[in-house]
Amino acid sequence: MTNIHRLRGVCHLWRDIVLTTPTLFSNLHVDFKTRPEFVKDWLLRSGQKDLTLYFSVGCGGESELSSYLFMLDLLDDLAPCIPRCKKLFFHASSAFSAHLLFAFLKQLNAGSVPLMHFVADDDDILHLPQIFTAGISSVKHIVAERCALGVLPSSLTSLELVDMEASLELTATQLRDALSNTLSLQHLVVHGVSIQDDVGPRVLLPSLTALEISASKSEEVHILKVIELPELEQLVLQLDEIEISQLVFKIISHGSKVKRLALAIMTSSPGRMRSFFKTVPQLEWLDVSGSDAQMETTLNALLLSYPDLFQSIQRVEFGEELADGLLASMFHALAARSPSVKLVSPVSDVVNDHRDLQCMFLRGGAVVTEHKKVVNGDIWED
């Protein structure tokens, strides 16, 4: 927001361009330092563009109650814009700040906003239950950072849980209660979420097709013991230790419908990896990362030693550049099981936000290699 004001001061031409470009005013940050006349002008300049609104209470050292009373003065200006608000971000400095934010939400009638992102300061816990008892029942996507969970709304289709450390004392029972109404949940992202283990039943998530887990401690994969995912098709595993990988491999049930899998190869035991891959018999797309040595001793050993694996595979992508000879041997082993397979790998580091990819496949019985430059982070599109 400060940068946009600076652009307005460059010259008359730039000022005219800024003031007549509503997209530049589609993000508004409201806190105790924001002047009311500034908010009115900003919303007016945004025209009818979709809005993202940021609210923070007590995060700049100001009185939390003063921040709340200040935001109440903006209700008449903000409320008419809620129908075109697509994202709400809330940053609270304490539990009291969270209560004030949720009270403000209720008065703002923000139940139609599809995405809500909650962040608590490092040393505090932001509790979510109040927001869902305040009439917020149509939200589709929630991001919760360092937040304690309440019962989540049945409208939810996407959920991200981030940095819920052991100090929050999140139990498996609390997680079951939180997810008890989320029968429409399709996408779940779990980064660094510690859960106290127990022997209770799993909660069924019948609509969930995509799961991403990032863990550096064993308690951060206990969520797999709490949820049942009969329709899971995409699984992303970002696991820092071999021991954690082995724990995940044990938890994931056989007969999985997973068709796309992303993971790092960290173990040199083909037997252990084989047990895991047998749980995903319908696998079609594999994203894998690891060094030449890890690939050669693990994945290549699997391909050469266990002909029953990878028969359904259609595409294998590598996160790192590998030796040409290793790529060639793995491709021939894969193609012997699935002639339509494509092997995609990088052939250069990122340069100017782009990187070069190569794709190996069979055409008329011969191995063909094509090259393409893509924006970093993009995939090879057929």
Side-chain angles (χ1 to χ4, degrees):
M1 292 168 65
T2 302
N3 288 334
I4 292 176
H5 276 293
R6 290 173 178 166
L7 292 176
R8 293 167 67 170
V10 171
C11 64
H12 288 296
L13 176 60
W14 281 38
R15 177 181 173 82
D16 291 341
I17 293 173
V18 169
L19 294 181
T20 56
T21 307
T23 303
L24 294 176
F25 297 88
S26 60
N27 295 272
L28 175 62
H29 189 168
V30 178
D31 59 20
F32 186 65
K33 299 177 182 178
T34 312
R35 300 191 307 273
E37 63 272 16
F38 176 86
V39 172
K40 293 180 181 179
D41 179 68
W42 198 273
L43 293 173
L44 179 64
R45 299 291 181 189
S46 68
Q48 295 302 312
K49 291 294 183 180
D50 291 345
L51 289 174
T52 298
L53 300 179
Y54 300 79
F55 297 96
S56 59
V57 172
C59 300
E62 75 279 2
S63 162
E64 296 162 325
L65 188 56
S66 296
S67 291
Y68 174 66
L69 295 175
F70 166 75
M71 290 194 299
L72 285 182
D73 290 337
L74 300 176
L75 272 176
D76 290 342
D77 296 312
L78 291 170
C81 301
I82 289 300
R84 56 189 178 97
C85 181
K86 302 304 178 185
K87 299 178 184 178
L88 285 176
F89 285 77
F90 298 91
H91 187 186
S93 62
S94 67
F96 182 53
S97 297
H99 280 279
L100 293 176
L101 277 174
F102 297 151
F104 178 69
L105 260 185
K106 184 175 182 179
Q107 298 200 49
L108 198 57
N109 293 319
S112 61
V113 179
L115 189 155
M116 296 186 181
H117 189 141
F118 305 96
V119 182
D121 279 354
D122 290 339
D123 298 328
D124 293 281
I125 299 174
L126 192 161
H127 292 270
L128 293 186
Q130 300 89 338
I131 189 170
F132 306 120
T133 60
I136 309 301
S137 58
S138 59
V139 59
K140 298 294 185 182
H141 184 175
I142 287 178
V143 181
E145 296 186 46
R146 300 185 295 276
C147 298
L149 292 175
V151 177
L152 298 168
S154 59
S155 59
L156 204 62
T157 59
S158 179
L159 174 64
E160 296 183 44
L161 306 177
V162 183
D163 293 340
M164 296 186 179
E165 299 179 355
S167 59
L168 273 82
E169 298 181 347
L170 178 63
T171 67
T173 298
Q174 290 172 323
L175 185 61
R176 291 188 193 96
D177 291 342
L179 297 173
S180 60
N181 289 332
T182 58
L183 299 181
S184 299
L185 189 64
Q186 300 172 13
H187 185 203
L188 176 60
V189 177
V190 184
H191 287 176
V193 177
S194 296
I195 298 175
Q196 298 179 14
D197 196 10
D198 67 16
V199 292
R202 296 189 181 195
V203 59
L204 179 66
L205 300 178
S207 302
L208 198 137
T209 58
L211 172 65
E212 179 178 334
I213 293 183
S214 175
S216 58
K217 306 172 186 176
S218 60
E219 57 265 28
E220 293 176 354
V221 297
H222 284 164
I223 188 172
L224 289 171
K225 298 181 180 180
V226 180
I227 54 179
E228 187 74 30
L229 311 173
E231 300 301 323
L232 183 65
E233 294 184 357
Q234 297 188 39
L235 176 62
V236 178
L237 300 174
Q238 300 175 4
L239 311 172
D240 290 350
E241 303 291 341
I242 293 176
E243 292 76 12
I244 299 174
S245 299
Q246 302 310 317
L247 179 60
V248 170
F249 299 162
K250 291 179 182 178
I251 296 173
I252 295 179
S253 60
H254 287 255
S256 170
K257 296 182 180 180
V258 171
K259 296 182 179 180
R260 180 167 181 174
L261 171 68
L263 80 163
I265 297 293
M266 294 183 294
T267 173
S268 59
S269 171
R272 292 175 181 174
M273 292 297 295
R274 179 176 181 269
S275 297
F276 171 66
F277 277 107
K278 287 183 69 175
T279 68
V280 287
Q282 301 181 45
L283 188 64
E284 296 179 358
W285 189 327
L286 174 64
D287 294 279
V288 62
S289 58
S291 66
D292 279 21
Q294 290 166 326
M295 294 294 179
E296 189 165 16
T297 57
T298 304
L299 191 58
N300 207 26
L302 287 173
L303 290 167
L304 296 175
S305 304
Y306 302 107
D308 57 322
L309 295 181
F310 305 110
Q311 292 183 352
S312 62
I313 202 75
Q314 299 295 310
R315 180 174 175 135
V316 178
E317 293 197 14
F318 294 99
E320 288 86 17
E321 184 175 0
L322 301 178
D324 291 342
L326 179 58
L327 282 173
S329 66
M330 284 193 286
F331 174 77
H332 285 291
L334 285 166
R337 291 155 179 77
S338 179
S340 59
V341 69
K342 292 184 177 180
L343 190 152
V344 179
S345 66
V347 290
S348 71
D349 294 329
V350 178
V351 178
N352 296 326
D353 295 326
H354 288 74
R355 73 185 315 178
D356 292 323
L357 297 180
Q358 66 176 355
C359 180
M360 302 176 67
F361 56 95
L362 291 177
R363 179 186 291 164
V367 179
V368 178
T369 301
E370 294 183 351
H371 291 79
K372 183 182 297 186
K373 187 182 295 292
V374 301
V375 175
N376 187 38
D378 283 358
I379 65 172
W380 181 290
E381 295 285 359
D382 294 327

